Amino acid sequence: MKTSNKFTLARMISAPVLFVIYFFPIWGRLRDNFVVSAVSWILVVLGLIFAELTDYWDGSYARKHNEVSDFGKMFDPFADVFLHLSMFTCFVFDQYMPTLCYILIFYREFAQNFLRMVSAKQGTAIAARKGGKIKTVFYVISCFFVLAQEGLVRFGLNVFVEPYVSLELIRHVGYGLFAVCVVLAYISFFDYLKTFGSNLKKD
């Protein structure tokens, strides 16, 4: 496997690992244990930072060392979806993300992957387009915004913030970010359909 694709693989492996670490205090009935809860949060934040950096490293390394390939063009966005849907699932369970937003994004991503598979069968590898990249940036922003909220709870800082800013208001700002994610996701999807939708008509 090429080095650039190893970075992408690391991002995929990170997804289930972060999912387990996020929920470990809950599954182990240790959410009230400050040390366990805090360490879990820190590991998730650091792990997500690492995972998002691999998204930059794989593309940068591939271009620098001439490792750009059709496989990489498909593997990279698939790993992004794998990671972000894993994190979004955490947030839905903790009610940081509206279920409707999650379902709409879930449908969009699987429809997009279907389009990529059909196009690949027709000999066209769909690389990430500008709209898709902007959508991914908002996915990342939303993830870290929610983790910041969860950090306030796990470190007990919510009691210091609440007198000045309502946590419910902060939560609704997060809802707004996810709504933007949905809009951007479908705008980019229709852009892909416009550009590559003709591949669907060949089968």
Side-chain angles (χ1 to χ4, degrees), residues 97-123:
M97 181 178 188
T99 304
L100 179 60
C101 289
Y102 176 81
I103 290 297
L104 289 174
I105 288 175
F106 182 89
Y107 288 160
R108 182 272 184 197
E109 296 299 347
F110 272 80
Q112 176 67 21
N113 278 327
F114 178 74
L115 177 60
R116 289 184 190 280
M117 287 189 295
V118 173
S119 296
K121 181 183 175 183
Q122 302 295 339

Side-chain angles (χ1 to χ4, degrees), residues 19-33 35-41 154:
F19 185 86
V20 170
I21 293 174
Y22 183 92
F23 281 113
F24 179 77
I26 301 171
W27 293 338
R29 298 181 180 179
L30 296 169
R31 193 156 193 172
D32 292 334
N33 185 307
V35 174
V36 173
S37 189
V39 169
S40 168
W41 182 87
R154 296 199 184 192

Side-chain angles (χ1 to χ4, degrees), residues 34-52:
F34 175 80
V35 174
V36 173
S37 189
V39 169
S40 168
W41 182 87
I42 291 171
L43 290 177
V44 170
V45 171
L46 293 178
L48 186 58
I49 290 173
F50 167 78
E52 297 297 355

Side-chain angles (χ1 to χ4, degrees), residues 2-8 11 53-76:
K2 296 177 180 179
T3 301
S4 56
N5 291 330
K6 289 180 180 178
F7 286 128
T8 306
R11 185 157 70 261
L53 283 174
T54 64
D55 193 17
Y56 167 76
W57 292 334
D58 61 12
S60 177
Y61 192 93
R63 289 187 294 271
K64 184 177 180 180
H65 296 274
N66 196 28
E67 290 188 2
V68 177
S69 64
D70 287 345
F71 175 78
K73 290 177 182 178
M74 296 181 64
F75 192 30
D76 178 61

Side-chain angles (χ1 to χ4, degrees), residues 161-179:
V161 173
E162 193 125 41
Y164 305 99
V165 181
S166 167
L167 293 181
E168 193 64 23
L169 175 61
I170 296 175
R171 189 179 292 262
H172 278 84
V173 171
Y175 292 168
L177 282 174
F178 285 121

Side-chain angles (χ1 to χ4, degrees), residues 112 115 188-198 200:
Q112 176 67 21
L115 177 60
S188 66
F189 178 62
F190 289 127
D191 175 53
Y192 282 109
L193 274 181
K194 181 180 177 181
T195 306
F196 301 101
S198 58
L200 297 174

